[in-house]
mmCIF file of all heavy atoms in Angstrom:
data_model
loop_
_atom_site.group_PDB
_atom_site.id
_atom_site.type_symbol
_atom_site.label_atom_id
_atom_site.label_comp_id
_atom_site.label_asym_id
_atom_site.label_seq_id
_atom_site.Cartn_x
_atom_site.Cartn_y
_atom_site.Cartn_z
ATOM 1 N N THR A 53 -10.593 -9.628 -10.717
ATOM 2 C CA THR A 53 -11.842 -9.951 -11.398
ATOM 3 C C THR A 53 -12.683 -8.701 -11.630
ATOM 4 O O THR A 53 -13.263 -8.520 -12.701
ATOM 5 C CB THR A 53 -12.643 -10.964 -10.558
ATOM 6 O OG1 THR A 53 -11.837 -12.119 -10.367
ATOM 7 C CG2 THR A 53 -13.937 -11.355 -11.246
ATOM 8 N N LYS A 54 -12.725 -7.837 -10.639
ATOM 9 C CA LYS A 54 -13.538 -6.616 -10.744
ATOM 10 C C LYS A 54 -12.769 -5.453 -11.365
ATOM 11 O O LYS A 54 -13.265 -4.339 -11.410
ATOM 12 C CB LYS A 54 -14.061 -6.238 -9.369
ATOM 13 C CG LYS A 54 -15.021 -7.268 -8.806
ATOM 14 C CD LYS A 54 -15.954 -6.610 -7.819
ATOM 15 C CE LYS A 54 -17.029 -7.560 -7.407
ATOM 16 N NZ LYS A 54 -18.200 -7.468 -8.249
ATOM 17 N N LYS A 55 -11.546 -5.726 -11.800
ATOM 18 C CA LYS A 55 -10.697 -4.719 -12.448
ATOM 19 C C LYS A 55 -10.391 -3.528 -11.536
ATOM 20 O O LYS A 55 -10.333 -2.385 -11.976
ATOM 21 C CB LYS A 55 -11.312 -4.271 -13.762
ATOM 22 C CG LYS A 55 -11.434 -5.390 -14.766
ATOM 23 C CD LYS A 55 -12.010 -4.876 -16.058
ATOM 24 C CE LYS A 55 -12.071 -5.832 -17.168
ATOM 25 N NZ LYS A 55 -12.300 -7.146 -17.154
ATOM 26 N N TYR A 56 -10.141 -3.815 -10.267
ATOM 27 C CA TYR A 56 -9.690 -2.798 -9.313
ATOM 28 C C TYR A 56 -8.163 -2.790 -9.317
ATOM 29 O O TYR A 56 -7.517 -3.144 -8.338
ATOM 30 C CB TYR A 56 -10.191 -3.098 -7.905
ATOM 31 C CG TYR A 56 -11.674 -3.032 -7.700
ATOM 32 C CD1 TYR A 56 -12.278 -3.762 -6.686
ATOM 33 C CD2 TYR A 56 -12.494 -2.243 -8.483
ATOM 34 C CE1 TYR A 56 -13.633 -3.714 -6.466
ATOM 35 C CE2 TYR A 56 -13.851 -2.194 -8.283
ATOM 36 C CZ TYR A 56 -14.417 -2.928 -7.274
ATOM 37 O OH TYR A 56 -15.768 -2.888 -7.066
ATOM 38 N N TYR A 57 -7.577 -2.392 -10.418
ATOM 39 C CA TYR A 57 -6.126 -2.459 -10.550
ATOM 40 C C TYR A 57 -5.410 -1.428 -9.679
ATOM 41 O O TYR A 57 -4.241 -1.607 -9.371
ATOM 42 C CB TYR A 57 -5.721 -2.270 -12.008
ATOM 43 C CG TYR A 57 -6.318 -3.315 -12.917
ATOM 44 C CD1 TYR A 57 -7.070 -2.955 -14.027
ATOM 45 C CD2 TYR A 57 -6.135 -4.670 -12.659
ATOM 46 C CE1 TYR A 57 -7.611 -3.911 -14.857
ATOM 47 C CE2 TYR A 57 -6.685 -5.637 -13.480
ATOM 48 C CZ TYR A 57 -7.409 -5.246 -14.580
ATOM 49 O OH TYR A 57 -7.963 -6.196 -15.390
ATOM 50 N N ILE A 58 -6.103 -0.383 -9.291
ATOM 51 C CA ILE A 58 -5.472 0.689 -8.517
ATOM 52 C C ILE A 58 -4.956 0.186 -7.174
ATOM 53 O O ILE A 58 -3.922 0.653 -6.696
ATOM 54 C CB ILE A 58 -6.443 1.886 -8.345
ATOM 55 C CG1 ILE A 58 -5.696 3.116 -7.871
ATOM 56 C CG2 ILE A 58 -7.572 1.552 -7.401
ATOM 57 C CD1 ILE A 58 -4.837 3.719 -8.938
ATOM 58 N N ILE A 59 -5.642 -0.784 -6.587
ATOM 59 C CA ILE A 59 -5.180 -1.303 -5.301
ATOM 60 C C ILE A 59 -3.827 -1.989 -5.456
ATOM 61 O O ILE A 59 -2.937 -1.837 -4.620
ATOM 62 C CB ILE A 59 -6.230 -2.250 -4.668
ATOM 63 C CG1 ILE A 59 -5.746 -2.778 -3.326
ATOM 64 C CG2 ILE A 59 -6.553 -3.421 -5.560
ATOM 65 C CD1 ILE A 59 -5.525 -1.746 -2.289
ATOM 66 N N ARG A 60 -3.645 -2.707 -6.536
ATOM 67 C CA ARG A 60 -2.367 -3.381 -6.761
ATOM 68 C C ARG A 60 -1.268 -2.371 -7.062
ATOM 69 O O ARG A 60 -0.115 -2.560 -6.661
ATOM 70 C CB ARG A 60 -2.508 -4.372 -7.910
ATOM 71 C CG ARG A 60 -1.308 -5.242 -8.063
ATOM 72 C CD ARG A 60 -1.555 -6.362 -9.032
ATOM 73 N NE ARG A 60 -0.362 -7.190 -9.102
ATOM 74 C CZ ARG A 60 -0.113 -8.011 -10.082
ATOM 75 N NH1 ARG A 60 -0.973 -8.151 -11.060
ATOM 76 N NH2 ARG A 60 0.983 -8.720 -10.077
ATOM 77 N N VAL A 61 -1.607 -1.290 -7.747
ATOM 78 C CA VAL A 61 -0.633 -0.253 -8.080
ATOM 79 C C VAL A 61 -0.051 0.371 -6.816
ATOM 80 O O VAL A 61 1.135 0.708 -6.770
ATOM 81 C CB VAL A 61 -1.283 0.823 -8.982
ATOM 82 C CG1 VAL A 61 -0.419 2.061 -9.090
ATOM 83 C CG2 VAL A 61 -1.580 0.248 -10.344
ATOM 84 N N TYR A 62 -0.863 0.531 -5.792
ATOM 85 C CA TYR A 62 -0.386 1.150 -4.556
ATOM 86 C C TYR A 62 0.145 0.134 -3.543
ATOM 87 O O TYR A 62 1.130 0.387 -2.860
ATOM 88 C CB TYR A 62 -1.505 1.970 -3.900
ATOM 89 C CG TYR A 62 -1.818 3.236 -4.641
ATOM 90 C CD1 TYR A 62 -3.024 3.389 -5.305
ATOM 91 C CD2 TYR A 62 -0.897 4.261 -4.720
ATOM 92 C CE1 TYR A 62 -3.312 4.544 -6.009
ATOM 93 C CE2 TYR A 62 -1.167 5.422 -5.413
ATOM 94 C CZ TYR A 62 -2.379 5.554 -6.046
ATOM 95 O OH TYR A 62 -2.644 6.694 -6.745
ATOM 96 N N THR A 63 -0.497 -1.006 -3.428
ATOM 97 C CA THR A 63 -0.159 -1.946 -2.363
ATOM 98 C C THR A 63 1.156 -2.677 -2.611
ATOM 99 O O THR A 63 2.010 -2.740 -1.717
ATOM 100 C CB THR A 63 -1.293 -2.971 -2.189
ATOM 101 O OG1 THR A 63 -2.491 -2.262 -1.883
ATOM 102 C CG2 THR A 63 -0.997 -3.931 -1.065
ATOM 103 N N GLU A 64 1.331 -3.229 -3.772
ATOM 104 C CA GLU A 64 2.511 -4.060 -4.008
ATOM 105 C C GLU A 64 3.820 -3.276 -4.016
ATOM 106 O O GLU A 64 4.795 -3.730 -3.413
ATOM 107 C CB GLU A 64 2.310 -4.885 -5.272
ATOM 108 C CG GLU A 64 1.124 -5.818 -5.095
ATOM 109 C CD GLU A 64 1.235 -7.122 -5.833
ATOM 110 O OE1 GLU A 64 2.313 -7.437 -6.345
ATOM 111 O OE2 GLU A 64 0.216 -7.825 -5.874
#
Side-chain angles (χ1 to χ4, degrees):
T53 302
K54 295 206 172 269
K55 298 182 175 35
Y56 294 154
Y57 301 125
I58 195 72
I59 180 62
R60 189 170 182 199
V61 167
Y62 288 111
T63 301
E64 298 212 11

